[in-house]
């Protein structure tokens, strides 16, 4: 569904510049997610340190985007759909900033985990989950730039797979902890990491929903099925 | 630091109406936090169910506030500090919506935990932490309404106490899990709850920082000291 073509205005040029910043920010966040999960799997403390330091650039970009959006609103006084677009950009920037924080936290925990006994193949599973989430975020941002409601709907759908990966990991960690209490501390960290990656997926879904809203003028009808079911999981162990 | 008094404009009246919605939303979120933690401690499934159902009203208020803010921006084309105020209101509403989600999640988990063996005095500790966080959020919103940068600075300071409460609980849960694997599932839920309450404190701090920004025109100089130190905690157990 394409919008009517219209003559490029100063507003359009402003918006393009802001969107370029969003894509740059998205690229940095995607790299942070991939690198931090790779640092976890390969126990690469240098790479983890790089991710932690790179987060400042992500935060700075959000500030820049917010300032620029406020400037455009004040200067151009956009109405209706143009205003909605600017407000959406600010929401997307806020989401990306949070995702950057999650990657930074993953990097921090990977340094601690590098000192502990590895837990089965869990670091590999987490890296695969991170890769899937990174693709999801990338597609959500592409859907935004191209105003592609079909791709956005697909992103929402695919987030359920991330939720399933998280649910499987959650059960795996519980089992490892019950089998051997020496695994508990490591599993608590790994679980946090998995949950935060799952949250990045939720943010990607949020971006996708904003795209659907921008293109169709309405949020998706059916409330999204909540895929993380662990809040109701009961596993009794130890006896 | 008070702003210069100026003649009440249509913008001021619009803003007052929006701020009334923020306070209403804040009241609902505070009640949800208190009620969900009380439901956890007293194993009151009816109260937990009430909290879960009440979250829809919080979400609806955020939608309403966003719509109203967009309307005000489009209609009044506010500039400089007025625009900053409207954008801040939208950020506060987004924060409150997240906090409402945390309370709803707490309520959900409390229903599951009601079927399990209680863990020491942890439900009581969580309720006290929830009470402290609720006060923090209340003060952050009061600081906003009164544009009180001193109270806002105090909120930032007090969030460290919440972080300390969380750190203490984290260690407590690790110990319970290591002592008896039958505690693991319950502790995983309790730990999630504690972390989410700690995040409500972070949101209160975020609101306080917005207030400082609105009043002084700059975000607090020193980067806030990160009080959750659990990402680097190592406790080796079991042997």
């Amino acid at each position: 569904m394409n919008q009517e073509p219209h003559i490029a205005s100063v507003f359009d040029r402003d918006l393009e510049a802001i969107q370029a910043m969003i894509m740059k920010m998205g690229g940095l966040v995607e790299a942070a997610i991939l690198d931090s999960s790779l640092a976890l799997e390969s126990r690469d403390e240098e790479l983890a340190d790089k991710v932690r330091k790179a987060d400042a650039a992500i935060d700075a970009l959000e500030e820049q985007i917010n300032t620029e959006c406020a400037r455009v609103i004040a200067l151009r006084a956009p109405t209706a759909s143009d205003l909605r677009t600017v407000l959406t950009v600010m929401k997307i920037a806020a989401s990306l900033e949070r995702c950057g924080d999650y990657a930074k936290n993953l990097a921090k925990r990977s340094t601690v985990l590098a000192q502990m006994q590895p837990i089965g193949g869990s670091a590999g599973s987490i890296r695969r989950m991170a890769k899937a989430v990174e693709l999801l975020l990338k597609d959500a941002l592409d859907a935004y730039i191209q105003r592609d409601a079909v791709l956005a709907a697909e992103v929402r759908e695919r987030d359920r797979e991330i939720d399933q990966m998280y649910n499987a990991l959650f059960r795996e960690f519980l089992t490892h902890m019950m089998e051997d209490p020496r695994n508990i501390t490591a599993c608590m960290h790994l679980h946090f990491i998995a949950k935060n990656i799952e949250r990045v997926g939720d943010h990607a879904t949020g971006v996708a929903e904003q795209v659907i809203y921008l293109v169709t003028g309405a949020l998706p009808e059916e409330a999204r099925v909540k895929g993380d079911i662990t809040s109701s999981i009961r596993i009794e162990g130890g006896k």
Side-chain angles (χ1 to χ4, degrees), chain A residues 107-169:
Chain A
K108 226 192 261 180
R109 289 180 198 273
S110 81
T111 306
V112 183
L113 282 160
Q115 315 301 323
M116 299 180 193
Q117 188 66 26
I119 306 290
S122 57
S125 306
I126 283 181
R127 196 191 39 71
R128 280 187 294 280
M129 189 180 165
K131 177 70 194 160
V133 151
E134 182 262 338
L135 277 178
L136 204 66
L137 192 59
K138 189 180 174 303
D139 286 345
L141 292 175
D142 283 348
Y144 168 73
I145 292 294
Q146 295 154 26
R147 305 291 190 275
D148 184 340
V150 176
L151 181 55
E154 195 214 294
V155 167
R156 286 178 86 230
E157 210 48 52
R158 266 163 54 205
D159 186 39
R160 297 197 192 166
E161 290 164 32
I162 309 288
D163 291 337
Q164 280 160 11
M165 286 169 137
Y166 165 72
N167 291 333
L169 275 169

Side-chain angles (χ1 to χ4, degrees), chain A residues 3-36:
Chain A
Q3 291 180 305
E4 290 293 317
H6 61 296
I7 296 142
S9 62
V10 266
F11 174 80
D12 290 326
R13 281 204 300 275
D14 285 341
L15 185 63
E16 249 174 58
I18 295 172
Q19 288 184 164
M21 287 194 266
I22 285 279
M23 293 316 275
K24 188 177 166 192
M25 196 178 170
L28 292 179
V29 170
E30 285 166 38
I33 293 167
L34 288 182
D35 286 348
S36 57

